[in-house]
Amino acid sequence: MGTVTTTQLRSMYEDMVTARYYEERLQEEYMEGKTPGFDISAGPIPGELHLAAGHEATAAGVCAHLTDEDTVTAPHRPHHIAIAKGVDLKRMTAEIFGRETGLSAGKGGHMHLFDPDVNFACSGIIAQGCPPAVGAALAAMKRNESSVAVAYLGEGAISQGAFLESLNLASLHDLPVIFVIEDNDWAISMPKGRISVPQDGSKRAAGFDMPGVRIDHDDATAVYEAAADAVGRARDGNGPTLMSVQVHRRMGHFMGDPETYRPEADQQRHQERDSIERLAADLEAAGVDEDERETIREDAHECVDDAIAWAKEQPEPAPDAALEDVFSNPPSGVTDEDPTPEFAGNGGADR
C-alpha cells in the first residue's frame, strides 16, 4: 500500500474542508426563498440539490493519485469529487446557479457538471458514469497511454445493469479503471439491507474476476492507501479494481427531504462520524498543529465564498440560448430556412 506523506495529508484536508464548507454554503443559498412551504422552483438555485457531506474521504483519497489526464465520472452527489479532481470552482458554482459563464453555460445544473480541462463529468442517472469511464479506459489502452479512469457510484446502484455490464467489459479487457462505491447505507429512502444482496458492494468483484476492496470506515488515509494499490495496478496494465468505502450521509437525500423514513438514532450516528475530524487527528500526529489547520480552513472558506459571490454576479443566459447546443451535428437537410430534415433514403416521408 502507498504510504501517505504529510504534504498529501494537507492536500486531502484542504479538499475535504473545501467540499464540506462549499456544500454548507450551497445549502444556505439553495434554501433561500423556498420556505415555509418548500417551493422547489424558488430561490437562486431552483430544482433539486443533492449534497454529499460525509462523503469527502472517498474523493480526496482517490483523486490524490490522479492527474488532469485521468478521467473521473461522478453520480448525482458530485461536488466533493469535482473539487478533489480540480474542477474550476467558480465556473462550477456559476453552473449550479444557472449562469452563462458556468461550465455548460448554465444548462446542466449541479447534477450534470462537465469540465473537459480535467476530464470530469457527472450525471443524475443511476450508474450512468460507469460505461463512459470504461470507454475512457479502453481509449487510453488503445492509445498506449498511462491514464486511468475512475467511476464513482452509490451502493444503491450496485444492481444496475450499466454497472454490472461495465464490470464485465472492464475485466474482460483488463482495462485501467477503478470503480468506487460510496456506501452511505441509504438508497434514497431505503436502507441498503432491503434492496441489495450482498450488502457489501465490493463482493460484486468476485463474479467478474477482479480485486474487490472494502474500507469499513470513511478514513481518508485508508482510502488513499487502498487507492494507491488500485490506481497503481491500473497504470501498470493489470486491470480494474472495485472499491467500496463506508461513508455517512449527514443530510437528506435531497435538500428539503424531511427524512421521516430515517430513525433519529441513525441520523445521530452519522453526525457523530466525521471523516474530517479523523483526518485532522492524522495531521496532528504528523505535526500539523491546530493553528496550521485553521489557516487551511480559513483559506478554503475564502475560496468558497469568493466563488459563490462571483457566480451570483454572473449574467443569466438569454432565453434564445435554450435553442443553442441542442445538436452537435444537425441532421442532414436541417437549415435555418427549413427546420424540417430531409432524411436520405425515405424522401423525407417519415418525419
Side-chain angles (χ1 to χ4, degrees):
M1 286 189 175
T3 301
V4 61
T5 67
T6 302
T7 298
Q8 290 160 337
L9 286 173
R10 283 195 190 94
S11 179
M12 289 194 295
Y13 187 72
E14 179 182 353
D15 285 342
M16 290 171 69
V17 297
T18 299
R20 177 69 61 81
Y21 183 65
Y22 186 69
E23 297 215 315
E24 290 171 348
R25 289 286 289 109
L26 283 184
Q27 182 183 28
E28 293 174 4
E29 296 289 339
Y30 179 79
M31 294 305 295
E32 181 182 329
K34 287 186 170 63
T35 56
F38 192 69
D39 181 353
I40 197 171
S41 65
I45 306 176
E48 288 191 321
L49 183 68
H50 304 80
L51 301 181
H55 291 207
E56 296 89 354
T58 59
V62 174
C63 291
H65 298 283
L66 306 181
T67 69
D68 289 352
E69 285 69 40
D70 297 319
T71 295
V72 169
T73 63
H76 58 286
R77 304 183 195 280
H79 311 134
H80 60 309
I81 303 168
I83 287 169
K85 187 60 170 72
V87 171
D88 186 284
L89 193 62
K90 288 186 174 180
R91 294 188 63 212
M92 178 169 78
T93 308
E95 183 63 33
I96 293 170
F97 277 84
R99 306 308 171 97
E100 68 177 12
T101 51
L103 292 168
S104 298
K107 299 178 181 180
H110 98 99
M111 285 191 289
H112 302 96
L113 304 169
F114 178 64
D115 189 350
D117 291 341
V118 295
N119 288 308
F120 175 87
C122 65
S123 173
I125 306 301
I126 303 302
Q128 187 278 335
C130 296
V134 168
L138 178 61
M141 173 181 281
K142 288 186 172 295
R143 293 168 180 161
N144 198 30
E145 298 171 347
S146 63
S147 56
V148 303
V150 178
Y152 284 86
L153 63 151
E155 88 290 336
I158 66 171
S159 296
Q160 290 289 319
F163 171 57
L164 299 173
E165 292 170 14
S166 295
L167 292 181
N168 182 66
L169 191 61
S171 182
L172 180 66
H173 295 285
D174 285 327
L175 298 180
V177 58
I178 301 95
F179 302 91
V180 182
I181 300 168
E182 296 183 302
D183 182 353
N184 67 16
D185 294 332
W186 288 93
I188 306 180
S189 59
M190 295 290 287
K192 66 180 180 182
R194 294 183 61 186
I195 64 164
S196 295
V197 176
Q199 293 187 42
D200 175 3
S202 69
K203 292 184 178 179
R204 283 278 193 263
F208 297 93
D209 195 23
M210 71 173 67
V213 181
R214 170 74 177 178
I215 297 95
D216 284 324
H217 46 277
D218 42 358
D219 182 331
T221 300
V223 174
Y224 177 93
E225 292 173 347
D229 286 350
V231 174
R233 170 183 164 83
R235 290 202 198 282
D236 291 343
N238 294 319
T241 300
L242 173 60
M243 295 174 56
S244 178
V245 183
Q246 183 66 55
V247 296
H248 60 285
R249 200 180 85 184
R250 300 173 70 86
M251 302 177 180
H253 171 67
F254 57 90
M255 288 300 93
D257 179 3
E259 294 193 277
T260 53
Y261 52 84
R262 191 176 181 187
E264 290 185 9
D266 181 78
Q267 296 184 46
Q268 182 62 31
R269 180 174 61 88
H270 281 238
Q271 291 295 331
E272 291 171 353
R273 294 167 47 201
D274 195 338
S275 55
I276 293 178
E277 292 180 2
R278 195 191 303 270
L279 184 56
D282 290 345
L283 281 167
E284 182 73 31
V288 180
D289 62 20
E290 173 58 21
D291 287 344
E292 186 171 350
R293 297 198 300 274
E294 177 60 24
T295 298
I296 294 173
R297 291 193 295 269
E298 289 175 351
D299 290 345
H301 291 188
E302 181 179 357
C303 181
V304 168
D305 288 337
D306 286 348
I308 290 176
W310 182 84
K312 293 171 72 174
E313 293 173 350
Q314 301 306 298
E316 295 182 350
D320 288 350
L323 303 178
E324 299 172 357
D325 308 316
V326 178
F327 293 106
S328 59
N329 295 296
S332 175
V334 173
T335 66
D336 290 340
E337 293 76 23
D338 180 9
T340 304
E342 296 288 343
F343 294 101
N346 65 3
D350 297 325
R351 295 174 178 170

